[in-house]
C-alpha cells in the first residue's frame, strides 16, 4: 500500500492508504481529525471546506495521491495557528454573532469565509453581499444572515 | 441591493405594557410547588416533570366580524397534549450540586442545534443566582422510567421543562442558603447569593460547593418551594450566546461520526433504486469483500451493508455491488399518480358552494427532511448487549424498538444520546440507530454507520405531499364560513410521540381522533373571525417515509389559508393588512399584525414586478406575523447561478413574534431566522420529484435549499415582550407566517395566484439526475481545480 505524506495543521503526517481514497476520509477516518464534515461527498455542500496552501478547497473531491509532501493542509483545528492566536478573527466574529446553531456546517463556513476575504483583498474587491453570495456553503439550520454579519465583522479584523 | 440588517428588537419593558390579554393567565410567583431533596451525600434537588397551567382563551371578537367558536388549539394545543401525556408517568429530574461550585443537570431532551442546553443553563442559573457557565447541562441517556418525558417534539421542550427545572433549582438554592445560615450562624434572610458565593452581612462568604454536603439529605423528602419573582429575573430574557459556540467554531464539538469508539469502523448501506426496495440476491459478495480497505459485507433487511477502514472505501464497494432488487413501496409511481390518489381521498366541504363562494385548491409537493448531518449512529452489539450512540429525540422508543428487533431485553440496550447536526423533526425517528444495531449484530462487530447524502435525499424521510382545499362564503361585509380540507400522504408519527398523543387524546377536548388528526386539530387554528370554521385532515398511507419537518401541516395550511384571506380581502375591497387586523380573533394576534405592518412600512410604494405580502400564524401558544418584499422582475428571476435555483427573490423580511416569556432572545432570533430561510425553500425552491418509484434528487446540487444567493438581504426580527408568564414553543415558529407572506407577495407582484408549491416545482430540472444504480454518485477528483 502506498504511503502518502503531507503537512496537516503544521505537522508532517504520513498514511498508508490506496491512492484514490479522497483526502476527506484520510483526514477524518485515518488521521482522526474530524473538523471537516461530510455533507455530500461531491463538492456541492462545502461542509468539508479546508485550506490547501492557504486556499479554500474541498478534500472530499481530491484523491490523496494528488497531495504533495510539501502541501500544507489546514482544517478548522489548525486555523487559529495560522495567525498565531487562540482564535482566528473569523472564529471570534462567529462567536460574537452567535452564528452556529447545530454547528455542523460551521467549520466549512468559517474556512470558506476566511478564503473569500483573502480572495477579495487580493482582487481589490469589497467583502460585500455580492462577494458573500459567491459562497456555496449550505447551512441547513438557516442562519445565513448571521453568517453574513460575521464575515463582514471578521474581515475587518483580519 | 440594500445592505443587510438582521436585528432583534425587544418590546418595551413589561411595566409599560397595557393590560394583558389572551392565554395563560396565572401568577406563578405566588404559587407554591412541591420539590424533593433526594437522599445522598451531596445535595440533589429534584422535581416532577409535568405541571399545571391555567388557560383563559376568551376570544375578543371585533364588532363587525362574525365570531367563530373557539377552535381546539385556542384552548388546548399540541404543547398541552405533550405535557399532559407526560403527567401520569412523570418522574424526577434532578439537579446535583457539586463540590467544585458547579451544578449538573442531565436534560432528558435532545439538542440538535436549537439551543435548549443554553436556555436550560440560563433557567437554572437564574433560580440559583449562578453564572450560566457554572451549570453543566448534558443530554440524558435513554431513561425508560421517564416514558413520554424524554421526547423532543412539537417545539415542546422549554414549555414542558421550564417550571419543573425552576422548582428543583429553587429548592437547591433554598437548601444551600439554609446550610449557609447554619454554618455562619446568621439568619437566612440576611444572606445574599451571587455567582455561587453566599455572603453574610459581615462580608464573610462561603462558596456553595462547600455547602453541598451539609445541604444534603439523609432520606428523600418532599419540600414546598416558591419560585423567584419574575420581575427580578436578571438572566432570563437577556441575550446569551450558545454555550458550545467556542467548541463549534474550533471544530471541537463532536457529532456522532466524529466519535472514536474502538472498533467502530465506517459502514455504509447499498440501497435499492426504488424507494424502500430491498435486496433479493447479491452476485459478487465475495469479490467486494476483497476490495481495498473492506472488512465485512453482509446482506441485511434494507440493503447490503459494507464495513471498511474509510467511508470512501465503503462507498466504492457499495457502488461495485451487483444486487438484484425487489420493488419498493411506490414502484412505478410519480408525482401525478400520488396527486390523483390524494384528490380522490379529499373529504367533502360542509357549507354549500354559493355564487359568492371563493374556493382554492393548492398542491404541496414532497420536500426532503435531510439535515446537513446525514442519518448516522454507532452500534456495538455483541452477545446479549447493545450500546448505541446517536442523535435521537425519542431515545426511549428507540431503545425499546432496537431491543425488539435484536431480540434482547430493553434494559440490555444502552442509548447514549448525542448532539445532532440539525433535526427539524427527523430525529424523532431513529432509522440509522436501528439499522446500525442490526448490522452490528449481523457482523458481530461495532459499526459507525452513516447514510450518504444520496441515501438521505432519496430514501430518507420527507415532508409529505399534500393538497389543501379551502372554501369561504363571503357576504357584503363578512365571512360566514371558512373551511379547510387538508389531504396528505400520511405523516409517520414516531412510536414515542404517537403513544403520548393517543394516550392524551381521550382526556383532551378532542373526541375520538387518530394520532394525526389529533395533531392537526391541536395545531391548526384559523386565526380570523370567519364564521363557521371547519378544518379536517385526511391522510392516505401510500408507503412513503415521512416525518414532520419543522412542523407538520402548518406551513402548507398557512400558505393556502393566507392566499385565500388575500382573496377575501380583495373581494370585500379591503387592504390585506387592514382586513387581517380587523378580523383577527384575539387582541394578542392583532397586536403582532399591527406591529409588523408598522415595522415593515406596509403599503409603501413598490416597483412594478415587486410587492409586499403579509401572513399571520398562530400556534404553540404564540402568534407571528410576517411581511416580505418579493422581487419577481425578469432580471431577478432569470439571474444565472451555476447548479442553483434563482427565481423570485425575497429582498426583505419583517417578522414579529410573540411566543410568551422569552428565555434567550438571541437563541429565539436564530430559530426564527432559520425558520424564515426554511420558508423560502418550502415556498420557492426546494422539492423532491417522484419519478418511476424513486425521488430524483440525490444531493444539494439537485435539492435547492436556501443559499446565500436566496436569503433575504434584509431581515428584521421583532420579539414582542409577552405578558405570558411562561415560554411557548419556538423551534418551528418562523416558517408558517413567512410561507403565507411569500405566497401572497407572489400573487400581488405577478397578478397570478399560485396553485402549487414550491413555485418552481414544474420548471424543467436544472440538472441531469444521478443514476440510481450504482446508488451513490462517486466523488469527483478535480477538487484542486476549484480552490479559491
Ligand atoms: S462533503 Fe465536501 S463539499 Fe460536501
Ligand atoms: S448550523 Fe446547522 S447546518 Fe449550519
Amino acid at each position: 500500500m502506498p504511503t502518502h505524506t503531507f503537512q496537516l495543521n503544521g505537522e508532517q503526517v504520513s498514511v498508508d492508504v490506496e491512492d484514490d481514497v479522497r483526502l476527506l476520509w484520510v483526514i477524518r477516518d485515518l488521521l482522526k481529525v474530524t473538523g471537516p464534515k461530510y455533507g455530500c461527498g461531491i463538492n456541492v455542500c462545502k461542509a468539508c471546506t479546508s485550506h490547501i496552501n492557504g486556499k479554500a478547497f474541498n478534500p472530499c473531491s481530491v484523491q490523496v495521491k494528488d497531495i504533495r509532501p510539501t502541501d500544507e493542509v489546514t482544517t478548522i483545528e489548525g486555523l487559529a495557528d495560522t495567525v498565531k492566536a487562540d482564535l482566528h478573527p473569523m472564529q471570534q466574529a462567529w462567536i460574537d454573532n452567535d452564528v452556529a446553531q447545530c454547528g455542523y456546517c460551521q467549520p466549512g463556513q468559517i474556512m470558506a469565509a476566511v478564503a473569500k476575504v483573502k480572495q477579495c483583498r487580493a482582487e481589490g474587491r469589497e467583502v460585500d453581499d455580492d462577494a458573500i453570495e459567491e459562497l456555496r456553503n449550505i447551512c441547513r439550520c438557516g442562519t445565513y444572515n448571521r453568517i453574513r454579519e460575521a464575515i463582514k465583522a471578521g474581515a475587518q479584523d483580519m | 441591493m440594500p445592505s443587510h440588517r438582521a436585528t432583534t428588537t425587544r418590546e418595551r419593558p413589561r411595566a409599560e405594557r397595557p393590560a394583558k390579554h389572551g392565554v395563560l393567565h396565572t401568577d406563578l410567583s405566588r404559587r407554591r410547588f412541591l420539590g424533593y431533596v433526594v437522599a445522598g451525600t451531596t445535595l440533589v434537588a429534584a422535581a416532577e416533570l409535568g405541571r399545571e397551567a391555567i388557560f383563559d382563551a376568551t376570544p375578543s371578537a371585533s364588532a363587525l366580524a362574525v365570531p367563530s367558536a373557539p377552535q381546539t388549539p385556542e384552548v388546548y394545543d399540541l404543547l398541552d397534549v405533550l405535557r399532559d401525556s407526560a403527567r401520569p408517568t412523570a418522574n424526577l429530574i434532578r439537579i446535583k450540586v457539586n463540590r467544585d461550585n458547579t451544578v449538573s443537570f442531565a436534560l432528558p431532551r435532545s439538542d440538535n442545534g436549537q439551543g435548549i442546553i443554553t436556555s436550560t443553563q440560563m433557567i437554572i442559573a437564574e433560580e440559583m443566582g449562578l453564572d450560566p457557565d457554572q451549570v453543566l447541562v448534558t443530554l440524558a441517556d435513554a431513561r425508560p422510567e421517564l416514558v413520554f418525558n424524554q421526547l423532543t417534539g412539537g417545539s415542546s421542550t422549554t414549555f414542558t421543562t421550564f417550571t419543573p427545572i425552576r422548582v428543583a433549582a429553587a429548592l437547591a438554592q433554598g437548601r444551600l442558603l439554609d446550610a449557609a445560615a447554619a454554618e455562619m450562624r446568621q439568619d437566612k434572610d440576611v444572606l445574599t447569593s451571587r455567582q455561587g458565593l453566599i455572603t453574610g452581612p459581615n462580608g464573610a462568604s462561603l462558596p456553595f460547593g462547600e455547602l453541598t454536603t451539609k445541604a444534603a439529605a439523609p432520606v428523600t423528602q418532599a419540600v414546598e418551594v416558591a419560585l423567584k419573582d419574575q420581575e427580578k429575573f436578571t438572566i432570563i430574557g437577556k441575550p446569551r450566546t450558545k454555550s458550545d459556540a467556542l467548541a463549534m467554531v474550533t471544530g471541537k464539538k463532536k457529532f456522532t461520526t466524529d466519535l472514536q469508539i474502538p472498533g467502530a469502523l465506517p459502514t455504509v448501506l447499498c440501497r435499492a433504486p426504488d424507494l424502500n426496495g430491498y435486496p433479493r440476491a447479491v452476485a459478487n459478495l465475495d469479490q467486494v469483500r476483497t476490495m481495498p480497505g473492506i472488512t465485512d459485507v453482509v446482506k441485511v433487511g434494507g440493503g447490503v451493508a459494507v464495513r471498511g477502514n474509510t467511508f470512501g472505501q465503503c462507498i466504492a464497494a457499495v457502488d461495485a455491488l451487483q444486487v438484484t432488487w425487489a420493488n419498493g413501496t411506490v414502484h412505478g409511481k410519480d408525482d401525478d399518480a400520488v396527486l390523483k390518489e390524494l384528490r380522490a381521498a379529499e373529504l367533502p366541504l360542509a357549507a354549500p358552494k354559493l355564487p359568492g363562494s371563493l374556493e382554492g385548491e393548492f398542491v404541496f409537493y414532497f420536500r426532503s427532511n435531510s439535515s446537513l448531518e446525514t442519518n448516522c449512529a454507532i452500534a456495538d452489539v455483541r452477545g446479549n448487549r447493545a450500546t448505541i450512540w446517536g442523535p435521537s429525540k425519542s431515545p426511549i422508543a428507540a431503545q425499546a424498538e432496537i431491543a425488539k428487533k435484536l431480540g434482547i431485553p430493553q434494559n440490555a440496550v444502552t442509548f447514549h444520546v448525542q448532539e445532532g447536526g440539525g433535526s427539524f423533526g427527523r430525529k424523532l425517528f431513529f432509522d440509522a440507530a436501528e439499522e446500525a444495531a442490526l448490522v452490528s449484530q449481523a457482523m458481530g462487530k461495532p459499526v459507525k454507520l452513516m447514510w450518504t447524502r444520496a441515501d438521505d435525499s432519496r430514501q430518507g424521510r420527507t415532508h409529505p405531499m399534500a393538497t389543501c382545499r379551502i372554501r369561504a362564503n363571503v357576504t357584503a361585509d363578512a365571512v360566514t364560513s371558512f373551511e379547510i380540507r387538508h389531504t396528505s400522504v400520511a405523516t409517520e408519527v414516531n412510536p414515542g410521540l404517537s403513544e403520548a398523543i393517543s394516550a392524551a387524546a381521550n382526556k383532551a377536548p378532542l373526541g375520538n381522533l387518530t394520532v394525526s388528526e389529533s395533531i392537526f386539530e391541536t395545531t391548526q387554528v384559523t386565526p380570523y373571525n370567519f364564521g363557521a370554521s371547519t378544518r379536517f385532515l385526511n391522510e392516505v398511507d401510500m408507503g412513503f417515509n415521512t416525518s414532520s419537518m419543522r412542523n407538520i401541516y402548518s406551513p402548507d395550511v398557512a400558505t393556502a389559508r393566507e392566499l385565500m384571506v388575500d382573496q377575501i380581502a380583495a373581494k370585500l375591497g379591503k387592504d390585506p393588512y387592514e382586513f387581517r387586523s380587523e378580523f383577527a380573533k384575539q387582541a394578542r394576534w392583532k397586536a403582532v399584525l399591527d406591529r409588523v405592518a408598522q415595522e415593515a412600512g406596509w403599503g409603501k410604494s413598490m416597483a412594478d414586478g415587486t410587492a409586499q405580502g403579509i401572513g399571520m400564524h398562530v400556534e404553540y401558544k404564540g402568534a407571528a406575523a410576517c411581511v416580505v418584499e418579493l422581487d419577481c422582475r425578469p432580471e431577478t428571476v432569470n439571474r444565472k447561478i451555476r447548479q442553483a435555483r434563482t427565481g423570485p427573490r425575497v429582498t426583505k423580511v419583517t417578522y414579529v413574534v410573540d411566543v410568551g416569556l422569552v428565555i434567550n432572545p438571541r437563541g429565539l432570533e436564530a430559530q426564527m431566522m432559520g425558520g424564515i430561510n426554511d420558508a423560502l425553500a418550502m415556498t420557492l425552491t426546494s422539492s423532491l420529484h417522484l419519478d418511476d418509484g424513486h425521488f430524483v434528487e440525490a444531493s444539494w446540487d439537485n435539492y435547492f435549499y436556501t443559499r446565500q444567493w436566496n436569503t433575504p438581504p434584509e431581515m428584521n426580527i421583532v420579539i414582542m415582550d409577552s405578558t405570558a408568564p411562561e415560554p411557548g414553543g419556538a423551534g418551528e415558529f418562523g416558517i408558517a407566517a413567512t410561507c403565507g407572506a411569500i405566497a401572497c407577495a407572489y400573487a400581488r407582484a405577478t397578478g397570478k395566484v399560485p396553485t402549487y408549491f414550491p413555485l418552481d416545482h414544474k420548471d424543467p430540472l436544472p440538472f441531469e439526475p444521478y443514476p440510481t444504480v450504482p446508488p451513490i454518485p462517486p466523488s469527483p477528483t478535480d477538487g484542486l481545480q476549484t480552490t479559491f
Side-chain angles (χ1 to χ4, degrees):
Chain A
M1 210 180 314
T3 301
H4 303 274
T5 302
F6 56 96
Q7 312 296 315
L8 180 63
N9 295 331
E11 281 176 38
Q12 177 161 316
V13 292
S14 288
V15 261
D16 294 336
V17 64
E18 284 71 17
D19 283 348
D20 62 345
V21 175
R22 305 302 190 269
L23 189 62
L24 177 63
W25 307 119
V26 173
I27 294 174
R28 284 185 53 88
D29 297 340
L30 302 178
L31 298 170
K32 319 279 186 208
V33 173
T34 53
K37 300 290 182 252
Y38 167 85
C40 71
I42 54 171
N43 206 353
V44 298
C45 78
K46 306 293 176 178
C48 68
T49 306
S50 302
H51 292 173
I52 183 157
N53 305 322
K55 290 194 159 205
F57 85 120
N58 292 89
C60 68
S61 299
V62 176
Q63 300 178 93
V64 63
K65 75 168 157 65
D66 295 333
I67 304 293
R68 295 162 305 187
T70 52
D71 281 334
E72 289 182 22
V73 175
T74 309
T75 67
I76 189 74
E77 287 94 338
L79 179 65
D81 284 348
T82 64
V83 293
K84 305 200 175 19
D86 287 345
L87 285 177
H88 187 280
M90 198 60 81
Q91 291 171 312
Q92 187 60 52
W94 240 251
I95 294 175
D96 295 344
N97 286 277
D98 196 31
V99 175
Q101 297 309 301
C102 76
Y104 195 83
C105 72
Q106 303 299 351
Q109 299 277 7
I110 293 169
M111 296 306 276
V114 169
K116 182 53 73 182
V117 171
K118 285 190 189 161
Q119 184 193 32
C120 286
R121 296 259 158 90
E123 294 170 1
R125 288 197 287 154
E126 246 341 87
V127 183
D128 56 11
D129 283 346
D130 286 342
I132 291 170
E133 286 182 21
E134 292 164 8
L135 291 171
R136 304 187 67 93
N137 298 60
I138 289 182
C139 176
R140 186 61 183 75
C141 295
T143 38
Y144 288 106
N145 314 79
R146 285 190 179 176
I147 293 173
R148 290 181 174 221
E149 295 198 335
I151 294 176
K152 289 174 189 166
Q156 285 189 348
D157 297 333
M158 263 172 74
Chain B
M1 194 139 288
S3 77
H4 163 71
R5 184 167 69 110
T7 48
T8 303
T9 317
R10 299 229 51 211
E11 263 289 278
R12 60 208 132 123
R14 202 165 319 226
E16 300 167 32
R17 298 279 301 162
K20 55 174 138 186
H21 36 249
V23 294
L24 274 168
H25 285 194
T26 165
D27 187 353
L28 280 182
S29 61
R30 260 175 250 136
R31 290 166 54 199
R32 296 186 75 78
F33 295 84
L34 206 59
Y36 301 87
V37 195
V38 180
T41 51
T42 55
L43 175 59
V44 178
E48 244 168 334
L49 207 49
R51 54 95 181 101
E52 317 279 313
I54 297 161
F55 297 90
D56 170 3
T58 322
S60 54
S62 56
L64 262 179
V66 179
S68 304
Q71 301 154 53
T72 304
E74 294 173 51
V75 290
Y76 192 91
D77 77 7
L78 182 61
L79 294 182
D80 298 310
V81 174
L82 290 175
R83 183 203 59 214
D84 288 354
S85 67
R87 234 177 231 158
T89 54
N91 211 300
L92 300 181
I93 46 128
R94 294 149 199 257
I95 292 174
K96 231 178 104 204
V97 179
N98 304 317
R99 290 194 176 88
D100 66 354
N101 294 322
T102 60
V103 302
S104 311
F105 179 69
L107 180 66
R109 287 291 185 277
S110 149
D111 197 333
N112 301 288
Q114 71 275 43
I116 56 178
I117 291 182
T118 308
S119 57
T120 300
Q121 286 176 305
M122 293 171 73
I123 295 167
I124 294 173
E126 181 72 78
E127 208 66 45
M128 294 188 67
L130 302 177
D131 187 288
D133 288 334
Q134 291 174 284
V135 183
L136 314 173
V137 175
T138 52
L139 301 181
D141 283 353
R143 288 178 58 189
E145 78 281 10
L146 290 180
V147 195
F148 308 137
N149 272 329
Q150 198 169 5
L151 188 89
T152 312
S155 293
S156 66
T157 296
T158 310
F159 177 74
T160 47
T161 57
F162 181 61
T163 302
I165 291 174
R166 289 183 69 197
V167 170
L171 174 54
Q173 173 71 350
R175 294 281 296 193
L176 290 169
L177 283 172
D178 283 339
E183 190 75 358
M184 294 175 168
R185 296 177 208 283
Q186 296 281 355
D187 195 76
K188 185 178 169 186
D189 293 340
V190 303
L191 301 181
T192 57
S193 165
R194 252 177 70 84
Q195 301 195 320
L197 210 58
I198 298 174
T199 310
N202 53 4
S205 62
L206 277 173
F208 73 89
E210 284 180 19
L211 297 162
T212 181
T213 319
K214 295 205 175 60
V219 289
T220 299
Q221 47 185 272
V223 184
E224 249 191 32
V225 281
L227 302 181
K228 184 171 178 179
D229 187 349
Q230 287 188 33
E231 304 297 320
K232 299 203 179 109
F233 281 176
T234 58
I235 296 169
I236 289 177
K238 298 257 158 44
R240 185 170 172 84
T241 295
K242 296 186 76 165
S243 46
D244 52 352
L246 179 64
M248 289 194 280
V249 304
T250 51
K252 293 205 176 77
K253 176 166 175 176
K254 295 283 178 245
F255 296 89
T256 298
T257 56
D258 300 338
L259 299 177
Q260 309 297 342
I261 306 295
L265 289 186
T267 302
V268 177
L269 245 69
C270 178
R271 294 172 204 274
D274 263 9
L275 179 67
N276 299 326
Y278 58 93
R280 284 200 195 287
V282 189
N284 59 344
L285 265 184
D286 289 333
Q287 181 205 330
V288 173
R289 282 193 183 115
T290 64
M291 284 180 69
I294 299 305
T295 62
D296 300 80
V297 185
V298 296
K299 185 159 89 70
V300 290
V304 184
V306 175
R307 179 175 175 273
N309 293 332
T310 66
F311 278 107
Q313 289 163 315
C314 293
I315 289 169
V318 161
D319 279 348
L321 282 164
Q322 291 163 7
V323 187
T324 316
W325 297 101
N327 289 344
T329 46
V330 292
H331 182 65
K333 284 193 189 165
D334 60 12
D335 279 347
D336 287 342
V338 177
L339 183 56
K340 220 167 128 198
E341 284 186 60
L342 286 176
R343 287 196 166 128
E346 198 179 283
L347 297 174
L349 292 151
K353 188 170 170 129
L354 305 171
S357 294
L358 285 172
E359 206 163 307
E361 196 232 25
F362 307 91
V363 178
F364 301 89
Y365 287 95
F366 285 103
R367 278 143 296 179
S368 165
N369 201 347
S370 219
S371 49
L372 195 53
E373 175 195 47
T374 52
N375 283 336
C376 56
I378 295 174
D380 186 353
V381 182
R382 280 179 286 183
N384 270 340
R385 298 210 63 79
T387 312
I388 315 285
W389 293 259
S392 176
K393 288 182 158 196
S394 54
I396 298 165
Q399 191 189 34
E401 202 59 29
I402 289 167
K404 196 155 63 171
K405 288 252 157 77
L406 295 175
I408 60 178
Q410 182 168 351
N411 62 11
V413 178
T414 306
F415 199 116
H416 299 297
V417 181
Q418 304 302 309
E419 290 181 61
S423 166
F424 321 113
R426 189 181 216 186
K427 282 163 183 153
L428 278 167
F429 296 86
F430 33 87
D431 305 303
E434 218 175 281
E435 217 169 64
L438 288 170
V439 172
S440 175
Q441 190 179 44
M443 291 178 177
K445 295 174 187 171
V447 297
K448 181 190 280 186
L449 182 136
M450 183 182 81
W451 289 38
T452 66
R453 175 60 53 198
D455 297 339
D456 235 54
S457 189
R458 285 182 158 158
Q459 302 277 0
R461 293 185 180 272
T462 62
H463 191 269
M465 185 163 158
T467 64
C468 191
R469 179 179 296 282
I470 296 182
R471 180 185 291 164
N473 283 330
V474 183
T475 63
D477 56 4
V479 184
T480 55
S481 71
F482 191 88
E483 294 190 278
I484 299 176
R485 296 294 176 270
H486 196 70
T487 315
S488 176
V489 166
T491 304
E492 277 182 79
V493 181
N494 111 311
L497 186 64
S498 61
E499 277 171 44
I501 287 168
S502 13
N506 292 335
K507 291 181 287 157
L510 290 177
N512 266 340
L513 302 178
T514 66
V515 169
S516 299
E517 286 165 343
S518 304
I519 295 179
F520 192 78
E521 180 64 21
T522 53
T523 55
Q524 303 308 309
V525 65
T526 297
Y528 308 105
N529 278 312
F530 282 171
S533 168
T534 64
R535 304 157 318 281
F536 289 122
L537 167 73
N538 194 26
E539 293 204 321
V540 196
D541 188 355
M542 292 188 216
F544 287 96
N545 310 327
T546 54
S547 67
S548 74
M549 178 165 91
R550 258 190 175 166
N551 212 304
I552 305 185
Y553 312 107
S554 304
D556 298 345
V557 172
T559 303
R561 182 190 64 228
E562 297 300 308
L563 277 169
M564 293 306 293
V565 170
D566 264 22
Q567 289 182 48
I568 297 169
K571 184 158 186 203
L572 297 179
K574 299 197 183 216
D575 170 81
Y577 149 64
E578 281 162 16
F579 174 73
R580 282 175 174 81
S581 179
E582 184 183 340
F583 280 72
K585 287 182 76 179
Q586 293 195 11
R588 187 178 168 210
W589 305 349
K590 178 175 159 28
V592 294
L593 278 166
D594 293 346
R595 182 69 187 269
V596 82
Q598 175 209 331
E599 290 277 339
W602 175 260
K604 72 183 187 188
S605 94
M606 299 281 294
D608 275 358
T610 72
Q612 290 179 310
I614 187 167
M616 157 153 79
H617 190 69
V618 163
E619 195 173 344
Y620 297 123
K621 307 208 177 294
C626 179
V627 170
V628 303
E629 292 177 15
L630 189 71
D631 183 348
C632 299
R633 292 175 296 190
E635 61 268 32
T636 300
V637 172
N638 299 325
R639 72 212 153 100
K640 292 266 170 287
I641 296 174
R642 155 180 85 82
Q643 289 183 329
R645 287 277 200 199
T646 50
R649 180 148 195 200
V650 178
T651 52
K652 183 174 176 186
V653 173
T654 309
Y655 198 85
V656 175
V657 62
D658 174 349
V659 283
L661 179 73
V662 176
I663 309 286
N664 183 2
R666 183 174 285 171
L668 180 67
E669 186 207 59
Q671 291 285 302
M672 295 306 123
M673 185 181 287
I676 289 165
N677 280 314
D678 271 16
L680 262 66
M682 306 260 309
T683 318
L684 299 171
T685 57
S686 294
S687 59
L688 294 169
H689 293 77
L690 184 72
D691 183 43
D692 193 20
H694 69 272
F695 289 113
V696 170
E697 284 77 7
S699 195
W700 299 111
D701 53 340
N702 301 169
Y703 186 78
F704 303 100
Y705 182 70
T706 307
R707 306 277 195 108
Q708 284 291 3
W709 53 79
N710 306 111
T711 203
E714 274 193 273
M715 195 183 280
N716 182 21
I717 297 167
V718 180
I719 299 170
M720 300 275 274
D721 188 19
S722 177
T723 49
E726 300 191 297
E732 304 169 317
F733 209 33
I735 304 180
T738 314
C739 287
I742 295 171
C744 291
Y746 182 82
R748 282 159 57 86
T750 63
K752 289 191 295 256
V753 177
T755 56
Y756 61 84
F757 294 92
L759 288 172
D760 68 3
H761 185 77
K762 294 183 189 170
D763 294 356
L765 295 178
F767 59 88
E768 185 60 41
Y770 291 101
T772 52
V773 180
I776 308 170
S779 298
T781 54
D782 63 352
L784 291 178
Q785 265 94 69
T786 54
T787 59
F788 65 87

